Amino acid sequence: MAIRKIVKLGDDTLRKTSKPQESFNLRLWTLLKDMADTMYQAEGVGLAAPQVGILRRVAVIDISENRDQLIEFINPEIIWRSEETQCGREGCLSLPGRAGIVTRPKKVKVKAQDRHGEPFELEAEDLLARAICHELDHLDGVVYIDVMDREMSKEEIEADNKRQEKGNKE
Ligand code: NI
């Protein structure tokens, strides 16, 4: 298990466009493993390669409560977005302690390659659709604060956290 350092806002890497991943080899698999380990340790739902300083079009997402439904995206592209939107809280491991309200499509269809280079398509909704939009933005140097409706205050974040904790117990 190798935990990589997560790049924080202010680092140029977060603002660059990532290059396509062309080799599907041990080096990529090591990156994917390290990214998953790093995401799980930081208790995030997603992580994009530029967040660990690698400018390649690679992202990992796991929105499951049990942390056992990892999805790896290589060279992902959103090929369809629903007109219907969702508006909700979003945060980022590169901007710890902050959160914003971001409007995203309610559903998206994404095309990507798996770790062996095999193409796949996935239709996602709600939180998974939001996570996909967020991570794919990272591959183009976009951070959620660029597209948010508004920043949440510390008080709002605390109140929302309490609500969620309570929700989990119910
Ligand atoms: Ni992020």
Side-chain angles (χ1 to χ4, degrees):
M1 176 153 134
I3 304 299
R4 301 209 187 183
K5 191 168 173 266
I6 298 177
V7 164
K8 300 295 185 314
L9 187 70
D11 190 305
D12 278 355
T13 316
L14 281 184
R15 293 314 200 166
K16 291 187 174 151
T17 301
S18 293
K19 292 196 176 81
Q21 176 70 34
E22 277 156 5
S23 334
F24 296 82
N25 53 14
L26 188 59
R27 197 177 168 142
L28 170 65
W29 302 332
T30 303
L31 173 65
L32 286 166
K33 175 79 172 82
D34 290 356
M35 283 174 62
D37 289 343
T38 305
M39 173 184 73
Y40 288 130
Q41 207 226 17
E43 295 180 357
V45 297
L47 192 70
Q51 291 183 276
V52 292
I54 308 288
L55 288 168
R56 291 287 165 185
R57 305 191 79 81
V58 174
V60 294
I61 292 177
D62 188 344
I63 60 154
S64 71
E65 218 159 281
N66 294 334
R67 320 302 276 144
D68 59 359
Q69 283 171 48
L70 181 70
I71 313 173
E72 298 171 336
F73 296 91
I74 322 296
N75 302 320
E77 270 175 66
I78 294 176
I79 53 173
W80 176 81
R81 295 160 202 263
S82 65
E83 270 175 40
E84 192 186 348
T85 55
Q86 54 174 320
C87 184
R89 176 179 169 166
E90 213 163 293
C92 180
L93 294 176
S94 294
L95 288 78
R98 294 176 65 176
I101 301 293
V102 189
T103 302
R104 300 283 193 187
K106 179 151 174 70
K107 292 181 186 178
V108 296
K109 209 179 271 179
V110 60
K111 172 180 108 173
Q113 284 167 284
D114 71 9
R115 56 166 51 218
H116 303 289
E118 284 299 315
F120 69 94
E121 280 186 20
L122 178 77
E123 203 174 319
E125 61 182 338
D126 299 328
L127 179 57
L128 184 55
R130 174 178 294 286
I132 288 170
C133 293
H134 178 113
E135 299 315 327
L136 267 62
D137 273 354
H138 274 302
L139 306 181
D140 292 315
V142 175
V143 183
Y144 81 86
I145 52 169
D146 304 339
V147 296
M148 69 182 173
D149 304 334
R150 62 175 182 88
E151 178 110 30
M152 286 171 76
S153 69
K154 292 257 177 285
E155 292 75 26
E156 248 183 305
I157 295 171
E158 262 172 46
D160 190 49
N161 288 347
K162 274 190 196 141
R163 217 171 18 242
Q164 279 185 9
E165 274 166 36
K166 211 173 158 195
N168 288 341
K169 279 177 208 151
E170 280 164 1

